[in-house]
Amino acid sequence: MNRLLLIVVLLPLAGWGGCSRVVKPTIPETVYVKVEVPAQLPASLTAPCPPVRAASRTVEAVVAAYNTNLPAQADCDQRMGEIRKLTVPPVGQTKP
């Protein structure tokens, strides 16, 4: 019984001792935040890639249209690769 009474009396005193000192955090007056600004892309990089369509459905016309589309597709792939390079974050910075 005495131990229980002692615990009941000392427990609140131990808790109240920590509340006597109030420490307020220091708030900085100026805060600098890095803002990610998207790059302005050149119009030549974002131009659409026009496909070449076959005028008629003969094998020769379809093959000619396919062969004509190969350089256009390569150009499109190259431009989209340049766009992807522009969106890579600098070293030490991560994308959100």
Side-chain angles (χ1 to χ4, degrees), residues 51-57 59-71:
V52 176
R53 303 264 182 219
S56 63
R57 291 293 163 193
V59 173
E60 292 83 13
V62 171
V63 169
Y66 174 77
N67 289 336
T68 305
N69 279 333
L70 287 179

Side-chain angles (χ1 to χ4, degrees), residues 10 13-14 56 60-61 65 76 79 82 84 89 94:
L10 290 179
L13 290 176
S56 63
E60 292 83 13
C76 223
R79 286 191 289 131
E82 290 177 15
R84 282 190 293 274
T94 58

